């Protein structure tokens, strides 16, 4: 075995250098040497480019194809370097074995590439991807809720038209900034905690979380929103879809209703007349203080008993029978 390796790497006395076939003419030697050098340089640069591409594009489906082509092209470049070497040194066994390995790699590549062609043809074209992206973008922008897409640091990478309208910022002023800047201090801390919770639980199938926050518009106005945070787990990293719905008017209506109910309660309790409200079954939903004073029944007991059970037997009979 060692004899074979020695013969493989050493000059053979049985052969003459390839340069003799060129009659050692300088012009033809330079032609072949320069050509093979340029070809080898190009062949060696292509695998480097493919390797860099595969390294940067971690989402590639057929990574092995690029690596296989890179290895095959690298071997092709080596055969051209050996063509230069054998001009002066007749290591034809070494050159032959490198060619044999190159042939094997070439055949493997050729055999594997044909079954892959239908799958490659089924991949969407750039035009189809652009059309699909435009379609999804139209849906994204037509959504009535404000949507912001951020990374795990909170940096905004995508916003829809409604978000720009709600917050008062143009598109370019939102992209690249952090979503934390849109919250006043209390809400900013709460949102940071919520995002940290989602990051800590990103490995499980976490349901979207909805909470109420205050956000600041570009003009300094503070509005209340219902914020829904969803995790987007991709090969490129963790992203968040933050959906905002303005609930300022809902909160104002809710507060107005509470204030109205409180005014009614005060007015009813101040009335000398007994006032109560029941449903169709006679269950109380409101009892004023005059009613409680007259009957002597505690509020909790009255609400539990209902109107029929709260009245004494004679009144119950006359009222309901």
């Amino acid at each position: 075995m060692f004899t074979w390796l020695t013969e493989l790497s050493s000059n053979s006395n049985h052969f003459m250098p390839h340069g003799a076939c060129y009659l050692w003419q300088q012009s033809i030697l330079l032609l072949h040497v320069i050509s093979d050098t340029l070809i080898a340089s190009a062949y060696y640069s292509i695998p480097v480019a493919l390797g860099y591409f595969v390294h940067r594009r971690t989402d590639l489906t057929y990574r092995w194809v690029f690596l296989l082509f890179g290895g095959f092209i690298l071997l092709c470049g080596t055969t051209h370097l050996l063509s230069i070497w054998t001009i002066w040194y007749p290591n034809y066994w070494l050159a032959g074995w490198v060619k044999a390995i190159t042939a094997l790699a070439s055949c493997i590549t050729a055999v594997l590439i044909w079954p892959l062609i239908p799958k490659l043809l089924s991949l969407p074209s750039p035009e189809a991807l652009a059309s699909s992206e435009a379609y999804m973008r139209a849906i994204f922008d037509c959504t009535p809720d404000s949507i912001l897409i951020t990374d795990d640091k909170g940096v905004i990478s995508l916003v829809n038209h409604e978000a720009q309208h709600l917050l008062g910022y143009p598109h370019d002023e939102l992209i690249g900034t952090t979503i934390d800047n849109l919250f006043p201090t209390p809400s900013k801390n709460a949102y940071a905690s919520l995002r940290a919770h989602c990051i800590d639980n990103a490995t499980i199938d976490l349901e979207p979380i909805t909470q109420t926050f205050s956000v600041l518009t570009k003009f300094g106005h503070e509005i209340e929103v219902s914020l829904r945070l969803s995790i987007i787990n991709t090969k490129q990293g963790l992203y968040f879809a933050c959906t905002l719905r303005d609930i300022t008017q809902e909160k104002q209506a809710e507060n107005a209703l509470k204030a109205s109910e409180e005014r009614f309660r005060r007015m009813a309790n101040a009335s000398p007349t007994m006032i109560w409200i029941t449903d169709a079954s006679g269950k109380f939903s409101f009892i004023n203080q005059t009613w409680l004073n007259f009957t002597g029944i505690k509020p909790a007991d009255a609400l539990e008993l209902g109107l029929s059970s709260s009245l004494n037997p004679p009144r119950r009979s006359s009222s309901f029978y």
Side-chain angles (χ1 to χ4, degrees):
M1 178 178 179
F2 292 105
T3 304
W4 179 80
L5 289 175
T6 302
E7 183 178 349
L8 183 66
S9 59
S10 63
N11 296 336
S12 174
N13 296 326
H14 305 291
F15 305 107
M16 60 182 178
H18 202 185
C21 298
Y22 302 139
L23 302 179
W24 300 108
Q25 293 184 13
Q26 186 176 5
S27 57
I28 194 169
L29 288 176
L30 287 175
L31 176 63
H32 282 273
V33 169
I34 293 174
S35 298
D36 283 325
T37 300
L38 293 176
I39 293 172
S41 300
Y43 276 5
Y44 278 171
S45 69
I46 292 173
V48 173
L50 291 176
Y52 176 76
F53 177 73
V54 170
H55 173 71
R56 294 300 300 269
R57 285 295 301 270
T58 57
D59 59 334
L60 290 175
T61 304
Y62 302 107
R63 294 167 59 89
W64 60 270
V65 175
F66 293 91
L67 298 176
L68 187 62
F69 268 97
F72 157 60
I73 295 171
L74 187 67
L75 287 170
C76 289
T78 304
T79 61
H80 284 274
L81 286 182
L82 286 172
S83 294
I84 299 173
W85 177 262
T86 54
I87 290 177
W88 289 277
Y89 304 98
N91 296 119
Y92 295 123
W93 276 109
L94 176 61
W97 278 110
V98 171
K99 283 186 178 181
I101 296 172
T102 305
L104 179 62
S106 303
C107 292
I108 292 174
T109 304
V111 169
L112 293 178
I113 197 64
W114 280 105
L116 194 62
I117 288 178
K119 298 179 181 179
L120 294 175
L121 290 174
S122 66
L123 294 176
S125 65
E127 292 78 11
L129 288 174
S131 177
S132 176
E133 183 179 354
Y135 176 76
M136 296 304 297
R137 181 73 201 201
I139 297 176
F140 183 70
D141 282 331
C142 288
T143 303
D145 291 333
S146 302
I147 304 176
L148 302 94
I149 307 298
T150 74
D151 62 12
D152 57 349
K153 301 295 189 301
V155 178
I156 300 172
S157 58
L158 189 64
V159 295
N160 67 346
H161 287 324
E162 188 60 29
Q164 300 171 53
H165 174 72
L166 175 68
L167 300 171
Y169 288 94
H171 177 270
D172 293 341
E173 290 187 21
L174 286 172
I175 299 300
T177 188
T178 58
I179 195 172
D180 297 15
N181 295 334
L182 302 177
F183 297 101
T185 301
S187 291
K188 182 183 297 185
N189 297 334
Y191 180 77
S193 299
L194 176 61
R195 186 174 63 217
H197 168 74
C198 292
I199 293 174
D200 292 339
N201 295 275
T203 55
I204 63 175
D205 189 13
L206 191 65
E207 292 292 327
I209 300 174
T210 303
Q211 292 184 10
T212 300
F213 287 89
S214 294
V215 296
L216 292 172
T217 68
K218 181 179 180 179
F219 310 104
H221 303 310
E222 189 170 318
I223 57 177
E224 285 194 85
V225 297
S226 174
L227 185 148
R228 184 178 177 87
L229 194 65
S230 304
I231 296 178
I232 307 174
N233 221 330
T234 70
K235 291 183 178 180
Q236 287 74 34
L238 199 63
Y239 290 87
F240 292 96
C242 182
T243 304
L244 306 178
R245 176 173 294 179
D246 186 0
I247 58 172
T248 303
Q249 292 184 349
E250 295 178 20
K251 284 291 184 179
Q252 290 174 349
E254 182 181 336
N255 293 334
L257 179 61
K258 289 180 179 179
S260 176
E261 290 176 348
E262 182 61 26
R263 286 194 299 270
F264 167 77
R265 186 175 290 105
R266 290 179 181 178
M267 180 186 68
N269 285 330
S271 173
T273 306
M274 290 188 294
I275 301 174
W276 66 88
I277 301 174
T278 68
D279 59 16
S281 65
K283 186 176 181 180
F284 288 114
S285 60
F286 175 78
I287 305 169
N288 75 338
Q289 191 62 43
T290 304
W291 192 97
L292 294 172
N293 294 338
F294 178 79
T295 60
I297 301 176
K298 295 180 180 180
D301 295 337
L303 292 174
E304 183 178 350
L305 292 172
L307 179 62
S308 177
S309 300
S310 299
L311 299 175
N312 57 42
R315 290 182 180 175
R316 184 186 308 124
S317 300
S318 61
S319 298
F320 292 91
Y321 301 100

